């Protein structure tokens, strides 16, 4: 199967051309198949978020190429939605919840607005926010704000959803709820998902494959098949022997105590 | 409730105390009762002005002039601020000009404006615009500059065009700052509208206050100053009320 999202030899140099330029990462190549869920883990400061921003067309690569369905990406392409870690800053505080979700659809003709609004209500229901349509984002809790951002992402009907540590700013229980929510939505909507995180358990719990970035100079050190059965459950999956093996291995990789692969 | 009521009562108390002291000083002759007539007499005159509806004409004149000048200042300040914030070319084009005129006390331009705009409404409006436009412009520019990049990236990932980003993302996101600039502009504009009326007016509160002073109707002069104070206070209250409704997320998002 051809790749939905393909990174070929992507390289990023921060402050290019200046004397204190430094190499963030180099030679990163990764193919993500349609409807696949790939997680990218790496130590903090390795440039994971930058890599995702390059994949989204939000930042230029210093070298290499990003392709979406075989077409080179130079700016944010339609069908790719980015879920930010700072969900609160990504929502529009002057818009109600439903109007935030409507945002990606406002290029549509006025005659369709009514049915689109109903669709957005439906997305809000899917993320568990039915009845919150007319609230403002700043009246909601952090977890609920990220749900609004997720509903807005769904409204854009993404082919690819890029998740940039989207659950790192919420409490542990809310994080698990949001993880399950994203898995459910991914299963129903069949979009391709790329998650960047430093939380190895989150990566293993959610993804089909986990790509591991090394310490600086950063490159892609390995890609691991998760192979855990779906649907995944926060209690059962996290007690699975395979889950613990993968967790062990990834922790070693991230903490810099690399052991032989026990795949 | 009591926590908020007490400071407010104390505030009223300080005003009452000042007026009381003035009243006593004027009665005993410690203050010249001709130059500083008793507040009770000024109050009586004020009452006559208000009841007779006499205040409506000059007040309307001043408010109209202010509304036109302030409205234009906001329109120009916000538009230019948005464009300067969004485009380096426009910024480069206007920044030196803005920095040249901005530090100038605008009242210094009044004699020059008389020369080519004449002594009349054109000069007065221009002075008000010049006074109020810069705080609005500078704040709009800073508001645009201070927008969180995440918000702009969000617009980009949803294929938002440049124009739509400017109008439906940048403008509302900069609104708290824009309103802060408009608040400063409001005060400055009011100062200059009164000054312009004193120098070039044929009616209005500023003209009237100066005219009463010249014809030595001191009590009336103070009464009209009180009307003017009420105008400033009312405008500030209206502005606060509007501010809360336009940017309810201020300080919360």
């Amino acid at each position: 199967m051809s790749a939905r999202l393909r990174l070929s030899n992507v390289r990023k140099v921060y402050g290019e051309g200046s004397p204190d330029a430094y190499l963030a990462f180099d030679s990163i190549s990764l193919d993500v198949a349609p409807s696949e869920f790939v997680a990218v883990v790496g130590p903090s400061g390795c440039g994971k978020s930058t890599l995702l921003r390059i994949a989204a067309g939000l930042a230029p690569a210093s070298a290499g190429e990003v392709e979406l369905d075989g077409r080179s990406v130079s700016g944010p392409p339609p069908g790719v939605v980015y879920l930010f870690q700072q969900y609160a800053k990504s929502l529009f505080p002057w818009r109600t919840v439903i109007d935030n979700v409507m945002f990606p659809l406002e290029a549509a003709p006025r005659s369709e607005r009514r049915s689109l609004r109903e669709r957005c209500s439906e997305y809000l229901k899917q993320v568990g926010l039915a009845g919150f349509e007319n609230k403002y984002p700043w009246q909601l809790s952090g977890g609920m704000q990220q749900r609004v951002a997720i509903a807005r992402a769904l409204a854009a009907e993404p082919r690819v959803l890029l998740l940039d540590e989207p659950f790192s700013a919420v409490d542990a229980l809310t994080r698990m709820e949001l993880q399950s929510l994203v898995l459910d939505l991914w299963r129903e909507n069949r979009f391709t998902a790329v998650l960047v995180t430093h939380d190895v358990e989150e990566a293993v719990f959610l993804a089909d494959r986990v790509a591991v970035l090394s310490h600086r100079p950063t490159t892609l050190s390995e890609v691991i098949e998760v192979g855990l059965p779906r649907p995944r459950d926060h209690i059962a999956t996290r007690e699975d022997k395979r889950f613990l093996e993968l967790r062990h291995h990834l922790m070693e990789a991230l903490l810099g105590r690399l052991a032989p692969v026990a795949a | 409730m009591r926590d908020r009521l007490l400071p407010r009562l104390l505030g009223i108390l300080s005003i009452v105390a000042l007026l009381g002291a003035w009243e006593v000083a004027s009665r005993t002759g410690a203050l010249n009762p001709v130059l500083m007539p008793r507040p009770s007499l000024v109050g009586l005159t004020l009452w006559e002005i208000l009841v007779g509806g006499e205040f409506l004409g000059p007040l309307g004149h001043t408010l109209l002039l202010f509304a036109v000048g302030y409205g234009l200042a906001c329109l120009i300040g916000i538009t230019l601020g948005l464009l300067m914030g969004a485009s380096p070319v426009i910024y480069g084009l206007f920044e030196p000009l803005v920095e040249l005129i901005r530090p100038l006390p605008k009242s210094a331009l009044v004699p020059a404006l008389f020369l080519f705009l004449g002594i009349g409404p054109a000069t007065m409006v221009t002075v008000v615009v010049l006074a109020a436009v810069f705080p609005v412009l500078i704040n709009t520019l800073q508001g645009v500059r201070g927008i969180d990049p995440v918000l702009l990236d969000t617009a980009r990932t949803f294929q938002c065009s440049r124009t739509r980003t400017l109008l439906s993302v940048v403008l509302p996101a900069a609104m708290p700052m824009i309103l802060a600039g408009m608040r400063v502009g409001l005060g400055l504009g009011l100062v200059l509208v009164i000054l312009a009326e004193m120098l070039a007016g044929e009616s209005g509160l500023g003209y009237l206050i100066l005219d009463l002073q010249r014809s030595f109707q001191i009590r009336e002069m103070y009464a009209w100053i009180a009307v003017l104070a009420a105008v400033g206070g009312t405008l500030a209250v209206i502005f606060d009320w509007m501010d809360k409704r336009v940017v309810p997320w201020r300080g919360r998002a």
Side-chain angles (χ1 to χ4, degrees):
Chain A
M1 207 189 303
S2 69
R4 167 126 297 164
L5 185 70
R6 166 173 287 164
L7 307 180
S8 326
N9 283 308
V10 174
R11 164 190 171 95
K12 181 69 182 182
V13 179
Y14 289 132
E16 234 170 336
S18 79
D20 42 47
Y22 72 94
L23 182 65
F25 48 77
D26 200 2
S27 333
I28 291 184
S29 297
L30 181 66
D31 279 10
V32 184
S35 304
E36 191 182 16
F37 202 132
V38 172
V40 178
V41 297
S44 37
C46 74
K48 315 183 277 291
S49 288
T50 306
L51 183 66
L52 202 64
R53 287 174 54 79
I54 290 172
L58 285 171
S62 304
E65 203 183 15
V66 178
E67 286 171 69
L68 178 70
D69 290 322
R71 295 171 72 170
S72 181
V73 167
S74 56
V80 176
V81 173
Y82 198 100
L83 211 55
F84 293 88
Q85 180 185 3
Q86 310 97 318
Y87 46 80
K89 292 177 179 170
S90 159
L91 296 174
F92 304 114
W94 55 89
R95 285 170 172 252
T96 58
V97 164
I98 185 88
D99 285 336
N100 264 284
V101 178
M102 275 292 283
F103 186 82
L105 304 173
E106 278 167 9
R110 286 199 171 270
S111 53
E112 292 174 27
R113 284 282 175 86
R114 206 190 172 80
S115 65
L116 289 176
R117 234 182 146 72
E118 277 161 25
R119 214 170 84 199
C120 288
S121 283
E122 197 52 45
Y123 290 128
L124 280 173
K125 203 180 288 172
Q126 282 188 41
V127 300
L129 284 181
F132 287 89
E133 283 83 355
N134 296 317
K135 292 271 185 222
Y136 285 89
W138 39 268
Q139 295 174 316
L140 307 180
S141 70
M144 288 162 93
Q145 289 180 15
Q146 190 59 292
R147 284 170 193 264
V148 177
I150 291 168
R152 184 176 62 183
L154 291 176
E157 302 195 305
R159 275 181 289 170
V160 178
L161 184 64
L162 303 174
L163 304 104
D164 182 3
E165 303 192 29
F167 316 125
S168 60
V170 295
D171 66 84
L173 273 176
T174 307
R175 187 178 312 154
M176 288 191 200
E177 284 169 18
L178 289 174
Q179 286 164 348
S180 296
L181 173 68
V182 164
L183 275 187
D184 289 345
L185 296 171
W186 171 71
R187 204 178 51 226
E188 286 161 30
N189 296 281
R190 305 311 298 159
F191 50 77
T192 305
V194 181
L195 165 78
V196 154
T197 181
H198 56 253
D199 179 346
V200 296
E201 292 192 22
E202 177 170 278
V204 173
F205 181 76
L206 293 175
D208 297 318
R209 289 188 297 152
V210 178
V212 185
L213 298 180
S214 66
H215 282 268
R216 245 186 261 140
T218 299
T219 189
L220 192 61
S221 55
E222 57 180 328
V223 181
I224 300 170
E225 286 282 346
V226 172
L228 284 164
R230 291 186 191 272
R232 293 185 184 163
D233 172 82
H234 276 296
I235 295 169
T237 304
R238 285 171 190 273
E239 286 170 351
D240 193 300
K241 193 158 161 289
R242 174 72 183 158
F243 183 92
L244 296 172
E245 269 172 22
L246 289 167
R247 177 179 175 277
H248 184 97
H249 174 73
L250 289 167
M251 290 291 265
E252 280 187 329
L254 292 195
L255 294 172
R257 287 185 260 150
L258 204 58
V261 183
Chain B
M1 187 64 195
R2 191 189 285 168
D3 297 350
R4 283 194 302 166
L5 209 62
L6 187 67
R8 209 167 270 192
L9 283 174
L10 287 173
I12 292 171
L13 199 68
S14 73
I15 296 173
V16 171
L18 181 72
L19 290 176
W22 178 0
E23 180 82 27
V24 171
S26 193
R27 275 175 191 272
T28 57
L31 279 175
N32 183 335
V34 179
L35 299 183
M36 295 288 279
R38 283 153 34 197
S40 52
L41 292 178
V42 174
L44 212 61
T45 311
L46 179 62
W47 176 251
E48 280 161 15
I49 290 170
L50 293 180
V51 169
E54 204 185 313
F55 71 105
L56 286 170
L59 180 66
H61 185 272
T62 299
L63 284 181
L64 179 66
L65 196 64
F66 175 75
V68 172
Y70 183 64
L72 277 173
C74 290
L75 195 68
I76 296 168
I78 293 169
T79 309
L80 195 59
L82 277 181
L83 293 175
M84 282 174 75
S87 151
V89 175
I90 298 178
Y91 181 79
L93 198 64
F94 284 102
E95 199 265 347
L97 188 67
V98 167
E99 284 312 306
L100 195 72
I101 307 175
R102 190 170 70 97
L104 205 66
K106 303 309 168 294
S107 43
L109 293 173
V110 174
L113 290 172
F114 281 160
L115 290 179
F116 47 93
L117 291 176
I119 299 177
T123 296
M124 296 195 280
V125 167
T126 308
V127 170
V128 176
V129 170
L130 280 171
V133 76
F134 289 99
V136 179
L137 170 62
I138 301 297
N139 268 57
T140 306
L141 185 58
Q142 278 175 359
V144 174
R145 294 248 161 111
I147 291 176
D148 200 288
V150 169
L151 211 57
L152 298 176
D153 280 344
T154 302
R156 284 180 70 199
T157 59
F158 289 122
Q159 314 295 310
C160 209
S161 72
R162 252 179 98 86
T163 316
R164 191 175 158 229
T165 302
L166 199 63
L167 292 180
S168 59
V169 179
V170 173
L171 178 63
M175 204 41 103
M177 281 294 281
I178 293 175
L179 283 166
M182 281 172 61
R183 186 190 299 273
V184 177
L186 186 80
L188 289 174
L190 205 58
V191 169
L192 267 290
V193 84
I194 297 304
L195 188 72
E197 281 178 342
M198 287 181 172
L199 293 169
E202 287 161 357
S203 175
L205 297 177
Y207 166 83
L208 205 59
I209 288 167
L210 187 67
D211 195 51
L212 290 167
Q213 187 259 337
R214 282 178 174 157
S215 54
F216 223 69
Q217 294 171 271
I218 302 302
R219 212 190 287 169
E220 285 77 8
M221 181 191 81
Y222 282 113
W224 283 99
I225 289 176
V227 171
L228 186 54
V231 169
T234 308
L235 286 177
V237 168
I238 293 172
F239 197 94
D240 281 347
W241 179 85
M242 182 192 74
D243 188 276
K244 280 203 194 81
R245 264 143 201 86
V246 176
V247 289
W249 70 92
R250 191 196 285 282
R252 281 192 274 195

